[in-house]
């Protein structure tokens, strides 16, 4: 498992548009499972409504876990996506 933490910098947090883009990005990597954790909550990052339901706001720290055969490459790509969009 590959893990990274990220502090959300977007003023409105993870909302519909960027969450939808995240789901599209993750779908490119069918060989890996990506989960997003905030505190005690953990969701599969492909579940758009669950991801938005976490209430992730600016300044929140999320932990992203990637599991799968290509987890190193996927984690690097998802981390770059977070930096570009959140």
């Amino acid at each position: 498992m590959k893990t990274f933490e990220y502090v959300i910098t977007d003023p409105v947090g993870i909302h519909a548009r960027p969450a939808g883009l995240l789901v599209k990005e993750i779908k490119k990597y069918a060989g890996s499972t990506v989960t997003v954790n905030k505190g005690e909550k953990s969701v599969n990052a492909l579940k758009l409504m669950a991801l938005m339901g976490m209430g992730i706001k600016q300044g929140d720290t999320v932990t992203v876990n990637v599991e799968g055969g290509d987890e190193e490459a996927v984690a690097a790509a998802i981390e770059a996506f977070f930096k570009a969009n959140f």
Side-chain angles (χ1 to χ4, degrees):
M1 178 181 348
K2 184 75 177 158
T3 302
F4 69 89
E5 287 189 349
Y6 184 77
V7 177
I8 303 300
T9 58
D10 188 288
V12 291
I14 295 183
H15 56 94
R17 186 190 55 76
L21 293 174
L22 177 61
V23 170
K24 279 186 179 180
E25 181 70 19
I26 292 170
K27 283 183 179 180
K28 295 178 185 177
Y29 309 105
S32 293
T33 301
V34 180
T35 57
V36 176
N37 307 295
K38 176 190 162 202
E40 298 294 315
K41 296 180 184 178
S42 177
V43 299
N44 182 326
L46 287 175
K47 307 289 184 184
L48 178 62
M49 296 307 289
L51 188 59
M52 290 175 19
M54 292 181 77
I56 299 170
K57 305 288 183 212
Q58 183 181 29
D60 287 348
T61 299
V62 295
T63 303
V64 179
N65 300 312
V66 181
E67 292 185 59
D70 55 351
E71 61 191 30
E72 290 289 331
V74 174
I78 299 301
E79 187 169 12
F81 180 88
F82 266 77
K83 289 177 181 176
N85 293 282
F86 297 119

